[in-house]
Amino acid sequence: MKRLLCLILILVLSVGLLAACGKDPGTAGGEGGGNEPAATPEPTPEPTPEPYNAQLLTGYEKDSSYPDNQRPVAIMFNNLIDARPQNGLSDAEIVVEIKVEGGITRFMGIFDDWSDLDKIGPIRSARDQYLKLIMPWQMLYVHDGQSVVVDYMVRDYDYDEFNLKQVGSFAWREKDRYNWAGKTNLATEHTEYTDGEHLADYITDQGVDTFRDYGESTFFNFVDYREPARQLSGDEVTVAEQVTVQHSSSYRTRLTYDSSLNLYYMSQYYGKSGYLDTIDQNNDQQLAFDNVVVLFTDIYTYPEYREKDLQYVDYDFGGYGYYIYGGKAERIRWVKGVPEQALRLVQLDGSTPYEINCGKTYLAVVDLDEFNNFSCEALTTSEG
């Protein structure tokens, strides 16, 4: 009997021990589940990138002050030596220089916001080689007078609304102005100016349509402002710390690289005086650019306008050129075509878009006859 009670007691203890071993000691109430895997945390979603929202003329990101969906203005500047220094060119996002009649050049400054411009000028007349660059973008075009070819283009392409030629309504003359040499009593064509207030009043009075939605389009193909600037390298890249662009024997522009600021500073040829800094008389600052773009093509006199020496710039077939940035130059190609088609830079394969870095740009369109006078060089110690 005693042995039987012992066996019963051992059996009861064994059953209790087995039950205890089936419990999770860390779980209240003795329930199982201790061997189940821990819950996987939800992955943190990647932040949605801000949409690409670049400025039309520089490729930088638009800020709250940017005049979104507003047509830029392109203004013709006199560049005769007696007319220098100009006013307002340092505010332009793009400065274009091309040869006109007599071997001289003019500047076209392109501004994304014309409403608050300081004094601009001296203003000069329009030429079709400039109009063809801005026509695809339907920019406002400001000038005093125009060639007969521009007359035809404005009529044929229905551009009259954006062709702001009634200068008497938005400009004034400063007959007592002085030039770089301190000379006064200048020729009348060296004395005409405008500003943002006069332009805005004229545009309002004339009911000019200033709205245009450019979407994500930009004048050049710019490197995405959310990415680092592109550094030039490869077989087609050469040193370009001093760049000389010759438009004719008397009109030459030099761009000198400042590595501390990563900018190219402009100077121009003044004959016996050599190269002098190109200064904006509004602020006494030398013109400076992030990018330099030099494009070569045939330029010759219109056969039917030989007496006026009007220059025809051949945009129809494209050509070769150089993109210059950061002390280096890279050989590129460019295409355009008919006036309604925008200028595009492409890689040497002739089709792949070529990107330039964000910033202000000096754009030169140069006669192929001057190709051998174009140079990109290293700065010597004395020049540096």
Side-chain angles (χ1 to χ4, degrees), residues 6 54 56 68 91 175 179 196 239 304 328 360:
C6 288
L56 178 67
D68 205 11
D91 290 325
K175 297 182 179 180
N179 68 5
V239 174
E304 62 269 44
K328 296 180 180 180
K360 291 189 175 186

Side-chain angles (χ1 to χ4, degrees), residues 72 78 85 122-123 223 226 239 247 283 299 356:
N78 192 334
I123 301 171
V223 172
R226 297 167 294 189
V239 174
H247 294 272
N283 51 28
I299 300 179
I356 72 172

Side-chain angles (χ1 to χ4, degrees), residues 46-237:
E46 291 292 329
T48 302
E50 291 293 326
Y52 183 69
N53 195 28
Q55 299 179 21
L56 178 67
L57 303 179
T58 65
Y60 287 129
E61 184 178 13
K62 296 175 184 176
D63 58 22
S64 59
S65 65
Y66 183 76
D68 205 11
N69 299 326
Q70 176 179 284
R71 300 178 194 275
V73 64
I75 304 177
M76 294 299 299
F77 285 78
N78 192 334
N79 193 35
L80 289 174
I81 292 177
D82 272 357
R84 302 170 186 166
Q86 295 90 350
N87 294 70
L89 272 172
S90 64
D91 290 325
E93 278 72 36
I94 299 174
V95 174
V96 182
E97 185 176 15
I98 313 175
K99 182 174 67 173
V100 295
E101 58 274 8
I104 68 173
T105 67
R106 289 192 182 144
F107 287 134
M108 180 173 68
I110 309 179
F111 306 80
D112 59 20
D113 189 1
W114 37 263
S115 62
D116 62 351
L117 290 176
D118 290 332
K119 186 168 74 171
I120 295 291
I123 301 171
R124 206 62 177 92
S125 54
R127 293 293 181 269
D128 64 287
Q129 54 264 54
Y130 296 91
L131 178 56
K132 288 174 181 176
L133 291 175
I134 64 170
M135 182 176 286
W137 305 96
Q138 292 195 328
M139 297 181 187
L140 308 182
Y141 192 29
V142 172
H143 53 87
D144 181 1
Q146 57 195 39
S147 70
V148 63
V149 181
V150 173
D151 286 337
Y152 294 144
M153 287 188 62
V154 169
R155 180 196 65 195
D156 294 345
Y157 291 94
D158 195 23
Y159 210 79
D160 193 59
E161 180 179 2
F162 312 123
N163 187 41
L164 278 59
K165 62 182 180 179
Q166 299 180 35
V167 176
S169 302
F170 56 75
W172 69 89
R173 293 197 181 275
E174 293 187 0
K175 297 182 179 180
D176 59 346
R177 69 157 294 205
Y178 60 90
N179 68 5
W180 64 277
K183 182 180 177 181
T184 57
N185 298 317
L186 302 175
T188 301
E189 63 264 27
H190 305 334
T191 64
E192 192 164 39
Y193 297 88
T194 189
D195 61 15
E197 181 179 0
H198 283 77
L199 288 174
D201 288 345
Y202 174 85
I203 288 167
T204 301
D205 291 344
Q206 297 296 316
V208 178
D209 180 9
T210 63
F211 176 86
R212 185 172 177 83
D213 184 1
Y214 293 104
E216 293 186 357
S217 299
T218 51
F219 191 88
F220 297 107
N221 290 313
F222 289 105
V223 172
D224 192 322
Y225 57 79
R226 297 167 294 189
E227 302 294 333
R230 185 171 66 85
Q231 304 305 312
L232 304 189
S233 62
D235 295 339
E236 297 293 335
V237 173

